[in-house]
Amino acid sequence: EAGVAQSPRYKIIEKRQSVAFWCNPISGHATLYWYQQILGQGPKLLIQFQNNGVVDDSQLPKDRFSAERLKGVDSTLKIQPAKLEDSAVYLCASSLRGNSYNEQFFGPGTRLTVL
Amino acid sequence: AQSVTQLDSQVPVFEEAPVELRCNYSSSVSVYLFWYVQYPNQGLQLLLKYLSGSTLVKGINGFEAEFNKSQTSFHLRKPSVHISDTAEYFCAVSDQTGANNLFFGTGTRLTVIP
């Protein structure tokens, strides 16, 4: 079974530029998560989708971050414009469902460096 | 709201020695508890989880953890570590009544010394 795929693996941009990350969850997984992992910290949830609807985006900085999950499968996370403090690893995860306990499976992440 | 504290940011240990990585949590509701491992340039992999039942849970790669409700702890242990155990370890909690969201600690870097 293929795991969670993410691209690109690495991205370097200058502040005020825009960037987008892509995630393809495990087939059949209804719930998709985006996490931000700043160096030296644990991952922090940015947004959770159930199919193509948003369940929780309370930690998403909506003035610059946006995410979508068209057709309830792939998802993109965008930052526009980027700031220095956005340098982090962005992890995508998926689970069968989003209620009670459902194991989350993580992708390898996208490491973003903002100069 | 939940929070997780991992008191040790770095733990060096010699190969074949035992290790304990400490985790304490705070929550106003019942939680599920997890340990994840992250190898360099890779995503997170679930080591073990506590959902209910026996407070001693066994996971992959010879790791185990014990849930202590009175001390709100979930410490991770391994009796004999290998070089390949060198990685970052994260403790996490999830609200039993919530939307399956994970709240992570800041991580413990385990370095196994030959």
Side-chain angles (χ1 to χ4, degrees):
Chain A
E1 177 182 273
V4 177
Q6 290 188 247
S7 68
R9 291 295 312 275
Y10 305 91
K11 189 74 177 179
I12 301 174
I13 62 173
E14 295 188 350
K15 60 183 178 182
R16 291 188 289 273
Q17 286 187 322
S18 301
V19 65
F21 313 127
W22 173 82
C23 173
N24 180 241
I26 293 174
S27 178
H29 280 195
T31 310
L32 185 147
Y33 314 77
W34 283 102
Y35 289 86
Q36 180 191 56
Q37 185 179 11
I38 294 173
L39 185 65
Q41 300 181 21
K44 181 186 78 172
L45 180 71
L46 291 176
I47 188 167
Q48 176 185 352
F49 291 95
Q50 180 74 14
N51 296 310
N52 60 353
V54 175
V55 173
D56 183 356
D57 63 356
S58 57
Q59 298 299 308
L60 188 72
K62 298 180 186 64
D63 58 333
R64 299 182 299 105
F65 286 65
S66 64
E68 60 183 11
R69 193 184 183 199
L70 301 176
K71 301 181 182 178
V73 182
D74 294 3
S75 177
T76 56
L77 176 69
K78 297 178 181 178
I79 308 175
Q80 180 180 352
K83 293 185 175 181
L84 296 177
E85 59 261 36
D86 298 331
S87 293
V89 175
Y90 291 85
L91 295 166
C92 179
S94 69
S95 64
L96 272 174
R97 292 177 298 277
N99 59 330
S100 187
Y101 172 67
N102 275 264
E103 183 175 347
Q104 294 187 29
F105 295 85
F106 286 81
T110 296
R111 182 178 297 276
L112 172 67
T113 302
V114 182
L115 303 175
Chain B
Q2 297 86 39
S3 67
V4 178
T5 301
Q6 293 181 247
L7 293 171
D8 306 304
S9 60
Q10 297 186 55
V11 173
V13 62
F14 286 103
E15 192 174 16
E16 299 184 3
V19 69
E20 178 181 82
L21 305 183
R22 295 181 292 167
C23 172
N24 288 89
Y25 70 92
S26 173
S27 177
S28 56
V29 299
S30 296
V31 296
Y32 300 127
L33 294 155
F34 310 87
W35 276 98
Y36 281 83
V37 62
Q38 187 174 35
Y39 299 103
N41 298 316
Q42 295 186 27
L44 298 165
Q45 180 183 5
L46 182 65
L47 265 182
L48 48 77
K49 60 184 180 286
Y50 172 77
L51 303 182
S52 65
S54 173
T55 57
L56 182 63
V57 294
K58 294 187 184 296
I60 62 173
N61 301 341
F63 284 93
E64 64 179 32
E66 186 158 18
F67 169 53
N68 188 317
K69 189 173 182 179
S70 63
Q71 297 186 7
T72 60
S73 67
F74 191 56
H75 300 334
L76 181 71
R77 301 185 185 98
K78 186 170 182 178
S80 176
V81 296
H82 301 133
I83 295 291
S84 59
D85 293 323
T86 294
E88 190 88 19
Y89 291 80
F90 292 94
C91 181
V93 302
S94 176
D95 178 355
Q96 287 189 14
T97 62
N100 205 40
N101 293 340
L102 290 169
F103 295 87
F104 288 89
T106 52
T108 297
R109 173 72 179 173
L110 174 64
T111 301
V112 180
I113 305 165

